[in-house]
């Protein structure tokens, strides 16, 4: 089992001590505190070491709740794959296979098995698993997402675009997927398609400052500077502090489109950009000042 084959090293124990120390104010007992870390953290290293410790030290507590036990094993397995800890992942996968109520027929197990095959580079086996899941459950989000990931890993952007469009047809409110589609179109120099994808993205999250910049960047690629500056401006309105990209984007647009009272706005933006570089103590601050001085 995991507990006998993967004892915690001294460095592992130090990481866990750090994690537990950061939760010393928690009123929960250690086991529940660890489970909270496991559930809330997005750091694969923290999840991996926390899961290993829970599996080693709290087998009795985990055995009382099969669903909880499988959840801990799954999260630890996913983290081990992120960290390329193949031996640990293989042990965990075997445990989940044995103790999952539905065994190898479980969609949950098959997804994890497919992710394991991805990690070891056996993409054909992984694709077959995901395709079988989609035959049974055509709307299954994770199976669709894994096909997208494989296409990107195989450097097949057009195939990734195809899978993403299929995914978004079924799950149209996934903003992150729309943003991913925009990036894929940009990588393929399909700027008009990227523009349309950005419009769909902003319908979902119109006040997202980063997505407004993304759309403005795309518009600049198709030389629609007048509209682009409006989206840079909106981004700057939404996120007023430290929004260098939006300010520089607006300054870029001034080279192509000018309107009344632009001189005052240009001066404000130049001052805004200079202050950001100065605040960060960037070595470029003097060069930025010189460029702006020549533009005045």
């Amino acid at each position: 089992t995991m507990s006998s084959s993967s004892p915690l090293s001294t460095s592992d124990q130090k990481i866990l001590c750090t994690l537990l120390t950061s939760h010393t104010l928690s009123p929960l007992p250690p086991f529940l505190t660890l489970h909270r870390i496991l559930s809330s953290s997005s750091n694969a290293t923290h999840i991996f070491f926390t899961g290993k410790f829970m599996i080693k030290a709290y087998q009795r507590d985990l055995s009382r709740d099969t669903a909880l036990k499988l959840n801990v094993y799954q999260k630890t397995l996913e983290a081990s794959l992120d960290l390329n800890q193949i031996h640990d992942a293989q042990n965990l996968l075997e445990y989940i296979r044995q103790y999952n109520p539905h065994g190898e027929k479980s969609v949950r197990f098959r997804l994890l098995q497919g992710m394991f095959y991805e990690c070891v580079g056996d993409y054909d086996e992984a694709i077959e698993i995901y395709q079988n899941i989609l035959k049974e459950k055509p709307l299954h989000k994770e199976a669709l997402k894994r096909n997208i990931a494989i296409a990107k890993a195989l450097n097949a952007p057009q195939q990734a675009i195809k899978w993403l469009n299929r995914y978004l047809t079924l799950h149209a409110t996934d903003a992150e997927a729309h943003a991913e589609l925009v990036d894929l179109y940009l990588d393929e120099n399909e700027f008009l398609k990227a523009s349309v994808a950005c419009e769909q993205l902003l319908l979902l999250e119109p006040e997202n400052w980063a997505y407004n910049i993304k759309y403005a960047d795309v518009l600049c690629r198709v030389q629609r500077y007048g509209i682009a500056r409006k989206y840079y401006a909106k981004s700057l309105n939404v996120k007023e502090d430290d929004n260098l990209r939006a300010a520089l984007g607006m300054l870029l647009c001034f080279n192509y489109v000018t309107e009344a009272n632009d001189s005052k706005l240009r001066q404000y933006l130049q001052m805004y950009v200079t202050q950001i570089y100065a605040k960060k103590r960037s070595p470029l601050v003097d060069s930025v000042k010189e460029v702006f001085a020549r533009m005045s």
Side-chain angles (χ1 to χ4, degrees):
T1 65
M2 176 83 171
S3 57
S4 60
S5 63
S6 303
L8 289 184
S9 66
T10 303
S11 61
D12 295 355
Q13 293 174 25
K14 287 181 179 178
I15 290 176
L16 278 166
C17 285
T18 301
L19 286 170
L20 284 171
T21 301
S22 67
H23 289 72
T24 51
L25 297 179
S26 172
L28 300 173
F31 172 75
L32 293 179
T33 300
L34 286 167
H35 187 249
R36 173 178 287 183
I37 295 171
L38 192 77
S39 302
S40 61
S41 177
S42 59
N43 184 305
T45 301
H46 291 177
I47 294 170
F48 178 62
F49 290 131
T50 302
K52 283 177 69 176
F53 182 74
M54 290 181 71
I55 291 167
K56 182 175 177 64
Y58 291 99
Q59 276 292 332
R60 183 176 297 177
D61 296 86
L62 290 172
S63 296
R64 296 190 185 111
D65 188 335
T66 301
L68 173 62
K69 192 171 187 176
L70 287 171
N71 180 260
V72 170
Y73 273 77
Q74 178 174 337
K75 286 185 175 296
T76 310
L77 168 58
E78 290 169 347
S80 69
L81 293 174
D82 287 341
L83 298 171
N84 205 34
Q85 299 292 325
I86 303 301
H87 180 68
D88 286 311
Q90 196 166 23
N91 288 340
L92 287 160
L93 187 64
E94 177 59 22
Y95 179 89
I96 293 171
R97 184 190 69 80
Q98 290 179 11
Y99 291 94
N100 190 299
H102 303 288
E104 293 182 354
K105 295 181 180 180
S106 162
V107 172
R108 181 185 195 180
F109 170 78
R110 285 185 287 164
L111 275 171
L112 293 170
Q113 186 180 41
M115 291 167 64
F116 176 81
Y117 282 126
E118 285 184 63
C119 192
V120 298
D122 192 346
Y123 293 113
D124 289 340
E125 193 69 34
I127 289 170
E128 183 177 353
I129 289 171
Y130 300 143
Q131 296 284 31
N132 287 335
I133 292 173
L134 288 171
K135 287 178 182 177
E136 301 167 19
K137 300 177 179 290
L139 303 182
H140 199 283
K141 291 181 70 171
E142 289 304 316
L144 287 166
K145 285 183 174 181
R146 297 319 309 167
N147 278 294
I148 297 165
I150 289 175
K152 293 173 72 173
L154 294 175
N155 195 27
Q158 290 299 327
Q159 190 68 18
I161 288 170
K162 176 183 175 182
W163 276 110
L164 254 175
N165 276 313
R166 175 177 170 180
Y167 172 85
L168 286 170
T169 299
L170 302 170
H171 306 284
T173 59
D174 189 331
E176 289 185 5
H178 281 284
E180 188 177 1
L181 182 60
V182 173
D183 291 336
L184 282 169
Y185 280 137
L186 289 176
D187 289 341
E188 293 296 288
N189 295 323
E190 297 186 53
F191 302 125
L192 292 177
K193 289 182 179 180
S195 176
V196 172
C198 262
E199 290 170 4
Q200 295 297 316
L201 178 60
L202 285 175
L203 285 174
L204 295 172
E205 296 193 22
E207 300 302 313
N208 185 303
W209 68 271
Y211 291 163
N212 275 279
I213 287 178
K214 184 183 285 288
Y215 187 35
D217 287 346
V218 173
L219 290 169
C220 284
R221 301 294 290 270
V222 293
Q223 301 180 357
R224 297 172 66 186
Y225 299 104
I227 302 176
R229 65 176 278 175
K230 293 179 181 178
Y231 283 92
Y232 285 129
K234 182 174 181 180
S235 176
L236 200 55
N237 285 332
V238 173
K239 184 178 185 292
E240 297 179 1
D241 296 331
D242 200 23
N243 197 342
L244 187 62
R245 283 277 306 279
L248 289 174
M250 287 189 71
L251 287 170
L252 169 69
C253 292
F254 282 139
N255 294 324
Y256 302 95
V257 179
T258 57
E259 296 179 4
N261 300 320
D262 272 352
S263 59
K264 290 184 178 180
L265 180 56
R266 187 195 298 264
Q267 289 174 4
Y268 166 78
L269 290 169
Q270 289 175 352
M271 181 179 67
Y272 176 90
V273 169
T274 303
Q275 288 176 344
I276 291 177
Y277 277 106
K279 184 178 179 180
K280 294 182 177 181
R281 298 181 179 179
S282 169
L284 297 175
V285 64
D286 290 332
S287 299
V288 170
K289 290 179 179 178
E290 290 177 9
V291 170
F292 289 159
R294 289 197 298 270
M295 293 172 62
S296 299

